[in-house]
Amino acid sequence: LTAEGVLAAGSRHQPGGTGSAGLRGGDLKVTASTTHLPEWMPFVAALRPGKPPVPLELRGRAELSGVLRGPPSALRLEGRLEATDFRYDGRQWNRFAGNLAYSADLLRVTGAEFRRDESSIRVNLTASLEHGGFSDTSPFSLQATVDGARVADLQALAGTSQPLTGLVNGSLRVTGTWLQPQGSGAAQVTGGTLAGEPFDSLRANLTFAQGEWRAGDLALKKGSVLISGEAGYRPAGKSY
């Protein structure tokens, strides 16, 4: 089976593809471009059966170039995705670009970058899935590098809400399962506030294990005043 140059008249997307498929499965090369994401939700739903909608709103353009592999009952998508001017889970971003591989049992994102104004977050993620989605026991590995990102943006992605603002530079590596992650990294926040009090810089080495974030070699500076120490936080109990 081959297909080429498919275009729905009057729509705001431009899908097209060439390839081959058979009863034993095959490869189908796919290219797609859209400015109206709802038209593609049935395709996304087919890759994520039984899962809630993706909290994504597209205001610019999204482009996908890749390959669909396998039989319809076990599709695997591999390719590159780029998007501009979009909101994810209510948070505005200027651009996303990255390579991805997705199937019912695996998600891999490599060389990915989120950009907002002058800030960027670069991500590599590999995660096992169950029926196309995450579970508490799904193993994963995440590496992230942050350059000038807002604390509010990072907290929105992480689902946290702490009384901290500013711009972040740092790196983080997390492995394990979603229920029992562990990781380490380093971060520096500049030009921010902590519980409403302004500071010049805040830096720390970070570790996470057994449900607790720990900040070692912590240094908080405001003018000529330097405060050093350690801190710990347990997200589950929201306790320090």
Side-chain angles (χ1 to χ4, degrees):
L1 172 67
T2 63
E4 293 189 36
V6 182
L7 178 63
S11 74
R12 283 172 284 183
H13 64 262
Q14 295 178 321
T18 61
S20 60
L23 294 178
R24 295 179 179 274
D27 294 350
L28 178 65
K29 294 182 180 179
V30 177
T31 60
S33 176
T34 185
T35 58
H36 190 58
L37 198 60
E39 295 176 331
W40 284 94
M41 284 299 105
F43 174 73
V44 175
L47 292 173
R48 308 173 70 250
K51 298 301 176 182
V54 178
L56 180 64
E57 177 186 354
L58 181 65
R59 298 180 177 181
R61 178 175 294 277
E63 296 181 348
L64 171 67
S65 176
V67 178
L68 276 174
R69 292 193 166 100
S73 60
L75 288 175
R76 304 191 311 275
L77 173 64
E78 300 176 5
R80 181 168 181 81
L81 175 64
E82 298 185 7
T84 58
D85 191 12
F86 64 94
R87 295 176 69 87
Y88 180 80
D89 202 17
R91 186 65 56 174
Q92 179 70 32
W93 296 92
N94 299 125
R95 185 176 183 271
F96 169 85
N99 303 310
L100 63 88
Y102 180 85
S103 67
D105 59 4
L106 177 69
L107 171 65
R108 180 179 292 116
V109 181
T110 58
E113 182 180 42
F114 293 86
R115 294 200 66 89
R116 176 174 176 174
D117 300 329
E118 299 301 318
S119 66
S120 69
I121 303 173
R122 294 182 294 278
V123 175
N124 290 291
L125 169 68
T126 300
S128 295
L129 305 178
E130 293 185 9
H131 307 293
F134 299 111
S135 73
D136 289 342
T137 57
S138 297
F140 74 97
S141 174
L142 169 70
Q143 300 88 39
T145 302
V146 178
D147 183 10
R150 301 174 187 176
V151 171
D153 293 339
L154 297 179
Q155 294 208 70
L157 290 173
T160 61
S161 179
Q162 300 299 319
L164 178 65
T165 68
L167 299 179
V168 183
N169 291 283
S171 61
L172 181 67
R173 177 183 175 86
V174 183
T175 61
T177 67
W178 299 105
L179 188 63
Q180 294 183 320
Q182 58 186 7
S184 62
Q188 176 171 286
V189 182
T190 57
T193 63
L194 179 61
E197 292 295 326
F199 61 83
D200 296 328
S201 66
L202 171 64
R203 56 180 173 82
N205 294 320
L206 306 172
T207 58
F208 184 80
Q210 298 180 341
E212 181 181 30
W213 279 103
R214 294 207 60 83
D217 299 323
L218 191 152
L220 176 65
K221 185 176 182 181
K222 180 179 179 180
S224 60
V225 178
L226 177 63
I227 301 175
S228 60
E230 296 183 354
Y233 176 69
R234 290 185 173 272
K238 296 183 179 180
S239 60
Y240 292 91

